[in-house]
Amino acid sequence: MAAIIWIGSAIVSLRLVGFPSGVEFDRTQPLTLITSMGQTLTAKDISSEISQDTPTPANVAEYDIKSVLPQLQAEIPLHLTLPMVTGSPIELQIPSTAIQEWQKISAR
């Protein structure tokens, strides 16, 4: 699974890419972010906005995290729950160093 932070004029997004034919994101559900302190946040799926001309592949999901980033404490790790079309959600642990980098990039 790869993650990319993208900064546009109105959004800061987290793009997640899984192996083709191995991952199919459920884009009808938001991304759930849970801090190690138990705070739960969600980010809206914006995958349909990636490209207006071609459909987004099933193994790619993009979430608007602009409103979530200021609510995160950079020194507290994060747990992401990625909704899947079939099977259990994928769980990812995000270290505090990654959150610090995301916040630094979004502040530019």
Side-chain angles (χ1 to χ4, degrees), residues 12-91:
V12 175
S13 67
L14 176 63
R15 181 178 295 172
L16 299 161
V17 181
F19 289 108
S21 303
V23 171
E24 188 174 350
F25 292 103
D26 182 355
R27 296 195 200 107
T28 65
Q29 302 295 316
L31 172 67
T32 302
L33 306 94
I34 303 172
T35 69
S36 61
M37 303 298 287
Q39 179 185 23
T40 300
L41 304 164
T42 59
K44 176 186 165 197
D45 179 87
I46 58 169
S47 300
S48 63
E49 299 172 26
I50 294 172
S51 174
Q52 305 296 325
D53 301 330
T54 58
T56 304
N59 66 310
V60 177
E62 190 158 347
Y63 300 93
D64 184 355
I65 61 169
K66 184 174 186 170
S67 64
V68 174
L69 282 177
Q71 298 178 58
L72 299 176
Q73 294 179 16
E75 50 288 325
I76 297 177
L78 190 62
H79 178 89
L80 300 182
T81 302
L82 310 168
M84 297 291 114
V85 170
T86 59
S88 299
I90 293 177
E91 310 286 331

